[in-house]
Amino acid sequence: MSQPSTGARPDATGHVEEVRAAVQGLLPRALDDLRTLVAIPSVADERLYPRAECERAARWVADAFRAEGIDTRLEVTPDGSQVVLGHRPGPDGAPTVLLYAHYDVQPPLDDAAWTSPPFELTERDGRLYGRGAADCKGNVVTHLTALRALRALGGDDLPVGVRLVVEGSEEQGTGGLDRWVEANPGALAADAMLVQDTGNAELGLPTLTVTLRGAANVVVHVEALEGEIHSGMFGGAAPDALAALVAILASLRDEHGDTTIDGVPAAVAHGTWDGVAYDEDQFRRDAGVLDGVGLVGTGSVADRLWARPVVTILGIDAPSVVGSAAAIQPRASARLNLRVPPGADAQDLQDKLVAHLEAHAPWGVRVRVERDAVGQPFAARTSGHVFDTLTGALADAYGRETVTAGQGGSIPLCNVLAGQYPDAEIVLLGVEEPACLIHAPNESVAPSEIENLAVGEALFLARLGEG
């Protein structure tokens, strides 16, 4: 149920304290909602959790936004997951804003590594711990709280039209919503799109994510022998597939740790970042780098994270240490993740990576490369009315100037939306910040991020509606 209306919707000047008071009054309810959502183990992998849990989360989200005046429905996407779609028209002539989040979460991983149960929201040292508390259920309740605050201040009216999209398989990367959007042109038309699945560069620093690296994975297979042979009888002359794979993988970084792929232009390989900096000591803490271990690469930390390609070895097929025999390996494989910065083409870099792997194979070993689908990088427009309005609203909400950052991860949906709706301004933000440890055990969220972001979102919607 909405808070009692004051009949005074915030105008274009913001009425920041009025909005903050409304959000603060709603915050206990928001945290109760988060507790309810976190308790639903909505992992979109039926090998781990029943599909019914994701369906339960989808129904909760649909019901919660319907109670706030958004006409919601559930649609099944091509990957079999459910997306919550909603719409509420705005006043005549008002713009429409699409609000995005996702209700599915990563699996807990190692239950024993959690200090408290992963699906039980637990307060500890001023933070709230639980799987999905930040990524991305904290963003779901932030959207809800912003809408509730506006209705409380405006007599149940909203200053803009609202479209809602809360998907259920983002963490699995199956592209169900991407394909649904492509198959339903015009269904999500909006003037502005708030993709709330990123976050601030540091706690309490309002940050708009303006670039995403693309991704292009490959699996490289190396073969050298018909079968295993004794390392004592044949070692020293027989070609070793595992050693060959190691040599190929070593060719992907230079002595400084910079990624080296043959044919990649220097402007791409050594790109620079001109947004917010990432302090090296802070990065070491955030990444959990061990004492005495250096960082890889040259340039600033932000350059390396957001403006340059990087190849990461995700896995290797080779005998485990325990139970290994004195044998030369006939074959070996590795899965590689190539992150592609804005300004580069993911398909082109994948082609160059494949050519590099083949060219750097020693001893004439046979190399075969399997390609995964590519995801292109994304760059948001940073000069439009939406961006300017949101920048100001967040600065007022947090009491600090808004900065821009990149994100090393990929959100392919952004490119799909940009292709389908080229006139819409797409901006990325969210409650996540480095201390949240998203995707890791002991994920958490700071309640202050939910409060401040809800204030900023409410101010943004009010000011956008005023023109």
Side-chain angles (χ1 to χ4, degrees):
M1 183 176 295
S2 301
Q3 296 288 311
S5 171
T6 67
R9 179 189 297 142
D11 61 18
T13 62
H15 291 162
V16 178
E17 294 311 315
E18 184 180 14
V19 174
R20 184 171 299 281
V23 168
Q24 288 177 337
L26 291 161
L27 194 59
R29 183 181 180 188
L31 301 186
D32 283 343
D33 286 344
L34 185 59
R35 183 171 293 105
T36 299
L37 262 181
V38 167
I40 303 174
S42 49
V43 177
D45 186 339
E46 290 186 273
R47 298 170 299 180
L48 301 174
Y49 292 88
R51 181 187 292 265
E53 298 295 351
C54 278
E55 293 172 346
R56 183 156 66 104
R59 289 194 300 272
W60 188 97
V61 172
D63 290 345
F65 281 93
R66 188 179 300 115
E68 301 310 321
I70 309 297
D71 183 16
T72 60
R73 71 184 193 278
L74 298 176
E75 291 262 354
V76 178
T77 58
D79 63 352
S81 64
Q82 290 185 323
V83 58
V84 181
L85 299 172
H87 184 223
R88 174 170 173 152
D92 289 344
T96 297
V97 179
L98 182 146
L99 306 178
Y100 167 90
H102 62 86
Y103 62 78
D104 67 305
V105 299
Q106 284 282 326
L109 301 177
D110 182 5
D111 283 358
W114 284 78
T115 304
S116 51
F119 295 111
E120 182 179 310
L121 194 69
T122 303
E123 191 276 333
R124 191 163 60 251
D125 298 325
R127 297 184 68 91
L128 298 172
Y129 289 80
R131 176 56 88 219
D135 182 22
C136 184
K137 292 175 177 178
N139 288 308
V140 173
V141 301
T142 298
H143 284 319
L144 271 171
T145 304
L147 295 177
R148 287 168 178 163
L150 287 175
R151 296 183 74 206
L153 294 168
D156 287 345
D157 291 334
L158 291 176
V160 295
V162 171
R163 289 197 185 276
L164 178 73
V165 180
V166 184
E167 68 171 309
S169 60
E170 191 276 339
E171 297 291 7
Q172 297 303 310
T174 51
L177 180 58
D178 302 9
R179 285 178 279 159
W180 187 91
V181 172
E182 291 171 338
N184 293 271
L188 301 181
D191 301 283
M193 299 183 175
L194 301 188
V195 177
Q196 287 191 198
D197 192 21
T198 59
N200 292 338
E202 64 182 56
L203 181 66
L205 178 62
T207 306
L208 295 177
T209 300
V210 296
T211 66
L212 300 168
R213 287 195 295 198
N217 290 0
V218 302
V219 178
V220 55
H221 303 279
V222 175
E223 290 186 297
L225 302 166
E226 292 180 352
E228 293 182 352
I229 54 177
H230 193 277
S231 61
M233 295 177 63
F234 298 99
D240 181 336
L242 184 53
L245 176 63
V246 169
I248 294 170
L249 298 180
S251 74
L252 292 169
R253 289 188 185 271
D254 65 17
E255 68 274 19
H256 305 295
D258 287 318
T259 295
T260 53
I261 302 174
D262 294 345
V264 175
V268 174
H270 299 284
T272 57
W273 174 255
D274 61 2
V276 67
Y278 200 151
D279 177 75
E280 184 168 324
D281 290 338
Q282 182 65 49
F283 175 80
R284 292 182 65 88
R285 290 191 294 271
D286 293 341
V289 180
L290 300 179
D291 289 344
V293 177
L295 303 186
V296 298
T298 58
S300 73
V301 171
D303 292 341
R304 286 172 268 178
L305 294 180
W306 304 325
R308 298 179 181 179
V310 64
V311 178
T312 300
I313 303 167
L314 300 182
I316 295 179
D317 284 344
S320 62
V321 172
V322 176
S324 56
I328 300 172
Q329 297 306 310
R331 61 192 64 86
S333 302
R335 184 167 182 247
L336 309 179
N337 170 237
L338 170 62
R339 295 290 178 172
V340 180
D345 179 82
Q347 186 62 65
D348 178 61
L349 259 63
Q350 186 186 58
D351 292 343
K352 288 181 167 60
L353 174 60
V354 171
H356 179 105
L357 296 170
E358 294 170 343
H360 286 263
W363 319 315
V365 296
R366 297 177 182 176
V367 173
R368 178 173 59 87
V369 182
E370 295 179 19
R371 302 169 182 249
D372 284 354
V374 302
Q376 295 292 350
F378 172 78
R381 282 185 286 162
T382 59
S383 58
H385 177 58
V386 168
F387 189 87
D388 291 343
T389 304
L390 185 56
T391 296
L394 291 177
D396 288 342
Y398 281 84
R400 299 178 67 180
E401 288 299 311
T402 303
V403 301
T404 59
Q407 173 129 326
S410 303
I411 305 178
L413 176 65
C414 290
N415 286 310
V416 174
L417 291 173
Q420 291 281 323
Y421 306 102
D423 294 330
E425 291 190 55
I426 303 171
V427 190
L428 296 98
L429 67 166
V431 299
E432 302 157 25
E433 36 83 23
C436 290
L437 297 180
I438 65 170
H439 293 205
N442 298 304
E443 177 183 349
S444 68
V445 69
S448 59
E449 293 291 88
I450 294 175
E451 176 187 329
N452 286 328
L453 188 58
V455 171
E457 182 176 336
L459 289 171
F460 164 74
L461 296 175
R463 293 174 183 179
L464 197 69
E466 293 291 333

